[in-house]
Amino acid sequence: MVNPAMSGPPLFLFLCLAPSLASAGHDYRQALTKSILFFEAQRSGYLPKNQRITWRADSGLNDGKASGVDLVGGYYDAGDNVKFGLPMAFTVTMMSWSILEYGKQLAANGELGHAMEAVKWGTDYFIKAHPSPNVLYGEVGDGNTDHYCWQRPEDMTTDRRAYRVDSSNPGSDLAGETAAAMAAASLVFRRYNANYSAQLLTHARQLFEFADKYRGKYDSSITVAQKYYQSVSGYNDELLWAAVWLYRATNNQYYLNYLGNNGDSMGGTGWAMTEFSWDVKYAGVQTLVSKVLMRGRAGKYVATFQKYQQKAEFFMCSCLGKGTRNVQRTPGGLLFRQRWNNLQFVTSASFLLSVYSDYLTSSGRSLSCASGNVSPAALVSFAKSQIDYILGDNPRATSYMVGYGSNYPRQVHHRGSSIVSIKVDSTFVSCRGGYATWYSRKSSDPNLLTGAIVGGPDAYDNFADHRDNYEQTEPATYNNAPLMGVLARLSSGGGGVVNQLLQEVVPAPKQTVTRPISASVASTSQISVRQTLTASWNSNGMTYFRYSAILTNKSTQTVKDLKLSISKLYGQLWGLEKSEDSYTFPSWVQSLPAGKSMEFVYIQASPQADISISSFKLV
């Protein structure tokens, strides 16, 4: 986890981008692929069969059980084993925003499917964490007991207590950010899983109403979060952030009115920011409201939305070093906000500069700064300079993305990567034993944390690759989430960015085909599953397919406790029940006798799902 170590009101938190350095011709496509892989290393819960980070295994399988709720799943935020709801929700919001802006580029690189899976891993967890309209679980485990131990997630013996906000113990910032994540993700899945998208939007609406009606800072209710993810900016930014995402997802005038009527009182038109982070959302709100304005959708709130835009452009100008209040950079040109995990601010600012550049290009405008007009291309150029610095164009010639290039951090402050995989050595790693055996080692991590963006260098471009140097060597999911979009943008060289002011449409993942194959078989020597395409039809411009799957017991014994793994399932399924990360017999089927078959069906607007047999018993 990363302690923000913030002090003072957000007005005085500064951020900027550096001038271009000589490019080494980076492979942005490779970096994009690796950046998404990192999220698989951060998964908690039952890992899927298509898990690509193979040194990880199932973990946190009893999360929520003591509270009578299923909280298995979600993401570990950084190098520890706590699940913090606020940064996790911001991570999902930013992954979703990356997909909405640069889905075409992600698809062209073959990464859209992986990006959508990364989003869904988070939203599946949020659905569980929001069991009723005015209840949201915001943390599993606590940093104090977790930091006392150094254990891989698969071994952890620390307290896994679940903490929640509700009407008596509110958390408007937490609920607002989670509402934003659900609303943004609903747009990602709208074309491919309409029922799931609608489910996410229902949760988003409920969470926003809960956040707005019962106001309070979440860390006053979940006090164990204060030391790690304190909400210094308060909750007004998250309420505006949720409102703008709900407006984008619903086109409902209520949310537009909310932005127009509350912009002044909640700081949306007043805060001139130079930071955008998991805590401070104002610059993100101002950027998205500017897009509404540039699309001609502000209605009677044009004057108010222009004030939002003025603050958005203050952020851009300050980052470019062309504003009235410019900020610190390292000698090598990297923006510098704080010594602890500084790169989180670099990736988030780079994303805002990239999307705002595209909005300006689409509207035929330039950026007006105190020092003069700035072309849209200059914003992307600055963003690129920051990404190039991260990837190795810096005084140390160090890549701050693990696994990219030849000179990258080898002693990452991360429990899972620093301890031998449980699949290689299943010997239990004890709480304090992990510190004695693994944390203190001076050699490279046994597991490569591919794609992780670590905290990065100090104000003078210095960096020490030591495991105990957590300020510089600890990674975080919210470092990578906005980077996904910037890398997708850079990988295209600007191609495919036609008009970012049009309504976003997420393209089909690259592996989608027009005519799916008619049948496939998954089998063991005892059980087979045969899939067949049985029908197709067009509705509202989309083609839907009905698939029948016949499960046959080929053995001479009765099959019980069957578990199937199903991936690439984007529609409704009938005839099986979901249990954790698997599918099982429905309640009315206890077993499958020898030689017998049973059918289940599903409908989706995409090729057939991948079905495999995980486990079963013969009795």
Side-chain angles (χ1 to χ4, degrees):
M1 72 194 63
V2 179
N3 186 328
M6 299 172 63
S7 62
L11 179 62
F12 302 107
L13 304 180
F14 300 140
L15 183 77
C16 73
L17 290 181
S20 295
L21 298 171
S23 173
H26 289 291
D27 188 340
Y28 298 120
R29 292 189 174 193
Q30 181 193 133
L32 173 63
T33 296
K34 292 178 184 294
S35 75
I36 299 174
L37 268 173
F38 170 63
F39 294 106
E40 296 193 17
Q42 298 302 106
R43 285 171 169 171
S44 181
Y46 293 92
L47 301 186
K49 294 298 181 182
N50 62 354
Q51 171 82 7
R52 294 177 295 166
I53 301 298
T54 56
W55 49 265
R56 282 294 322 282
D58 299 344
S59 62
L61 304 184
N62 292 314
D63 284 358
K65 188 174 182 180
S67 301
V69 62
D70 176 10
L71 295 177
V72 176
Y75 288 108
Y76 304 117
D77 76 295
D80 50 38
N81 299 327
V82 185
K83 295 191 298 200
F84 290 99
L86 184 58
M88 192 194 306
F90 179 70
T91 294
V92 171
T93 306
M94 292 309 299
M95 286 195 291
S96 297
W97 195 359
S98 294
I99 293 170
L100 294 172
E101 297 290 351
Y102 302 119
K104 291 180 180 178
Q105 292 86 344
L106 284 163
N109 290 319
E111 293 297 335
L112 180 57
H114 293 137
M116 292 173 71
E117 287 175 5
V119 169
K120 192 171 185 293
W121 193 266
T123 52
D124 283 351
Y125 173 78
F126 293 145
I127 290 171
K128 294 179 177 183
H130 184 224
S132 60
N134 295 336
V135 173
L136 175 64
Y137 285 86
E139 184 171 332
V140 179
D142 78 88
N144 293 333
T145 58
D146 185 89
H147 280 197
Y148 182 74
C149 298
W150 192 264
Q151 294 174 291
R152 54 195 174 197
E154 296 83 0
D155 282 332
M156 60 182 167
T157 55
T158 49
D159 184 5
R160 300 301 290 175
R161 194 175 314 172
Y163 301 87
R164 69 183 227 180
V165 294
D166 53 37
S167 56
S168 300
N169 303 280
S172 300
D173 28 24
L174 172 66
E177 180 61 69
T178 310
M182 299 290 237
S186 75
L187 286 166
V188 170
F189 292 103
R190 181 163 290 174
R191 288 181 66 200
Y192 303 104
N193 194 337
N195 289 332
Y196 188 68
S197 174
Q199 184 182 14
L200 295 178
L201 198 52
T202 296
H203 282 279
R205 291 177 188 270
Q206 291 177 350
L207 283 163
F208 177 77
E209 183 177 352
F210 167 45
D212 194 37
K213 183 177 180 180
Y214 302 100
R215 295 192 182 184
K217 286 177 56 178
Y218 94 104
D219 54 17
S220 296
S221 299
I222 304 178
T223 57
V224 294
Q226 289 179 1
K227 184 179 177 181
Y228 305 98
Y229 289 102
Q230 183 181 6
S231 182
V232 176
S233 71
Y235 53 76
N236 283 332
D237 52 337
E238 277 86 10
L239 290 175
L240 294 172
W241 180 240
V244 73
W245 276 112
L246 276 160
Y247 176 67
R248 192 163 170 174
T250 66
N251 201 31
N252 188 317
Q253 184 71 27
Y254 174 82
Y255 301 108
L256 189 73
N257 293 342
Y258 192 95
L259 292 163
N261 295 332
N262 294 291
D264 292 342
S265 63
M266 288 185 168
T269 62
W271 283 109
M273 301 305 302
T274 48
E275 172 192 340
F276 176 52
S277 68
W278 60 262
D279 179 29
V280 187
K281 314 295 163 51
Y282 283 113
V285 172
Q286 291 154 356
T287 299
L288 285 173
V289 172
S290 298
K291 183 177 186 180
V292 175
L293 180 67
M294 285 189 269
R295 293 181 66 202
R297 302 289 296 277
K300 64 181 181 180
Y301 300 111
V302 169
T304 301
F305 282 19
Q306 285 174 340
K307 290 194 289 183
Y308 276 99
Q309 186 177 36
Q310 288 169 4
K311 295 304 186 289
E313 299 199 346
F314 177 93
F315 175 89
M316 308 300 163
C317 294
S318 296
C319 290
L320 294 168
K322 297 181 179 294
T324 57
R325 192 177 68 222
N326 299 322
V327 297
Q328 178 183 0
R329 301 175 189 173
T330 70
L334 183 73
L335 63 91
F336 191 79
R337 156 69 183 87
Q338 67 183 32
R339 66 182 188 181
W340 192 318
N341 191 23
N342 183 64
L343 288 185
Q344 64 176 303
F345 305 107
V346 181
T347 60
S348 59
S350 298
F351 179 85
L352 289 190
L353 283 151
S354 296
V355 298
Y356 202 75
S357 168
D358 294 333
Y359 298 166
L360 290 174
T361 299
S362 300
S363 64
R365 291 182 60 237
S366 61
L367 178 67
S368 179
C369 296
S371 63
N373 288 344
V374 179
S375 70
L379 278 73
V380 172
S381 176
F382 271 85
K384 179 179 180 297
S385 76
Q386 295 301 287
I387 303 308
D388 288 346
Y389 183 109
I390 292 172
L391 296 179
D393 289 1
N394 55 64
R396 288 178 47 86
T398 295
S399 166
Y400 294 106
M401 174 184 281
V402 178
Y404 179 88
S406 58
N407 182 25
Y408 54 82
R410 309 282 176 162
Q411 294 187 35
V412 184
H413 184 87
H414 187 276
R415 286 156 174 77
S417 65
S418 68
I419 302 174
V420 65
S421 170
I422 197 169
K423 296 180 179 180
V424 174
D425 185 349
S426 61
T427 304
F428 174 71
V429 177
S430 67
C431 170
R432 302 303 293 175
Y435 273 111
T437 304
W438 296 102
Y439 181 79
S440 59
R441 290 173 77 242
K442 301 304 180 184
S443 56
S444 299
D445 295 336
N447 306 307
L448 188 65
L449 194 63
T450 303
I453 301 297
V454 298
D458 67 12
Y460 303 98
D461 301 301
N462 298 315
F463 178 80
D465 184 15
H466 302 303
R467 196 167 293 114
D468 59 359
N469 181 20
Y470 46 82
E471 292 183 348
Q472 295 189 327
T473 63
E474 186 173 19
T477 56
Y478 44 87
N479 297 6
N480 280 58
L483 183 67
M484 178 195 298
V486 186
L487 288 172
R489 171 71 169 79
L490 293 176
S491 71
S492 70
V497 183
V498 181
N499 189 339
Q500 296 299 89
L501 299 183
L502 297 176
Q503 191 65 35
E504 59 276 324
V505 177
V506 178
K510 193 172 183 180
Q511 63 268 27
T512 300
V513 294
T514 303
R515 295 184 60 82
I517 57 177
S518 61
S520 68
V521 178
S523 65
T524 68
S525 59
Q526 293 90 8
I527 302 172
S528 68
V529 183
R530 180 177 181 82
Q531 292 195 74
T532 306
L533 173 64
T534 59
S536 64
W537 62 93
N538 293 317
S539 177
N540 296 323
M542 294 189 66
T543 302
Y544 291 87
F545 303 100
R546 180 187 186 276
Y547 298 96
S548 167
I550 304 296
L551 178 70
T552 302
N553 180 1
K554 301 187 297 181
S555 75
T556 58
Q557 298 173 276
T558 297
V559 170
K560 297 192 71 173
D561 299 335
L562 175 73
K563 289 186 178 181
L564 298 177
S565 174
I566 306 180
S567 61
K568 299 180 183 178
L569 176 64
Y570 304 114
Q572 289 275 32
L573 181 147
W574 296 268
L576 295 176
E577 291 184 358
K578 190 167 186 181
S579 175
E580 296 165 339
D581 196 45
S582 301
Y583 288 83
T584 64
F585 287 136
S587 57
W588 60 89
V589 176
Q590 301 299 316
S591 62
L592 188 63
K596 298 297 183 180
S597 300
M598 62 169 286
E599 180 185 31
F600 58 93
V601 300
Y602 61 95
I603 295 173
Q604 60 187 30
S606 58
Q608 65 187 33
D610 291 339
I611 301 174
S612 61
I613 300 159
S614 299
S615 63
F616 58 91
K617 292 180 181 178
L618 295 176
V619 295

